[in-house]
Amino acid sequence: MQAGVQKRKCVFAGSFDPPTIGHKAMIEDCLALFDEAVVAVMVNPGKRPCFLPEERVEMLRRMFPDEPRIRVMTFGGTAAELLRKENTRIYVRGVRSAVDFEYENADFFASAKLDPDILPVYLPCRQELLHVTSTAARACLRFSAPTDAFLTPEVRAYIDGLKDKKR
């Protein structure tokens, strides 16, 4: 990169409860478009996630152990606040379907009321991953069903380690 050229940074935020192979693909797509990706585990006091924020951060870090262009963090405010803090306008959102797009677009309009400079980038889900959701992954985990179709080996190993600690 030439001196004086500003790096293009995006924010990709979500609950990542747990992070899936779909999230991994979306982060890979972010890296194909941007110089840096901030992956933010959002903390919503109104939700009761399965995994602690620190656990979700660790799972995401294990997905990309040697990738210096990714920074994983937790954040407890709004997306608008996070983008201001990270000094970027670019907010990446993944969409699997028209329903996802409608949800993300409504969320964008609400966020734009807080900061009109937000620039959403909607990336389509890879076709072979349309079935992947954190909800489906949690259901498999709850019933001890195979999670290979939803979770990376690193995330599965981390979750297995958590189970061993709780026994």
Side-chain angles (χ1 to χ4, degrees):
M1 183 169 295
Q2 295 175 337
V5 175
Q6 184 178 6
K7 288 172 52 172
R8 299 293 290 182
K9 177 173 35 171
C10 72
V11 168
F12 178 52
S15 59
F16 303 107
D17 188 37
T20 67
I21 59 175
H23 293 126
K24 182 176 185 182
M26 194 60 51
I27 295 166
E28 290 168 346
D29 290 348
C30 287
L31 293 178
L33 294 169
F34 302 99
D35 301 311
E36 181 183 358
V38 176
V39 180
V41 173
M42 300 301 273
V43 179
N44 181 342
K47 287 189 175 181
R48 293 182 48 95
C50 259
F51 297 96
L52 297 171
E54 307 80 49
E55 293 169 338
R56 291 178 272 157
V57 164
E58 184 59 27
M59 287 184 249
L60 285 159
R61 285 186 178 142
R62 288 176 185 225
M63 287 176 146
F64 297 96
D66 299 316
E67 182 49 77
R69 298 175 300 154
I70 297 172
R71 184 162 43 87
V72 183
M73 62 180 294
T74 59
F75 194 76
T78 66
E81 291 170 320
L82 174 59
L83 290 163
R84 273 194 301 274
K85 178 183 180 298
E86 290 300 323
N87 196 30
T88 186
R89 301 175 51 210
I90 303 169
Y91 190 41
V92 173
R93 306 305 299 150
V95 292
R96 287 180 296 256
S97 64
V99 172
D100 280 358
F101 178 78
E102 291 297 327
Y103 172 84
E104 293 299 343
N105 222 29
D107 192 55
F108 160 67
F109 290 126
S111 293
K113 296 289 184 195
L114 301 173
D115 185 347
D117 290 332
I118 292 175
L119 178 61
V121 174
Y122 300 117
L123 296 178
C125 176
R126 296 176 189 173
Q127 186 176 20
E128 68 273 15
L129 300 176
L130 288 172
H131 67 284
V132 177
T133 65
S134 291
T135 302
R138 286 192 307 272
C140 289
L141 290 168
R142 194 172 310 115
F143 295 107
S144 299
T147 58
D148 301 36
F150 303 102
L151 303 177
T152 66
E154 301 86 4
V155 169
R156 288 194 315 267
Y158 182 81
I159 291 171
D160 287 345
L162 290 175
K163 290 178 193 172
D164 290 342
K165 286 181 186 176
K166 292 178 181 177
R167 289 183 188 161

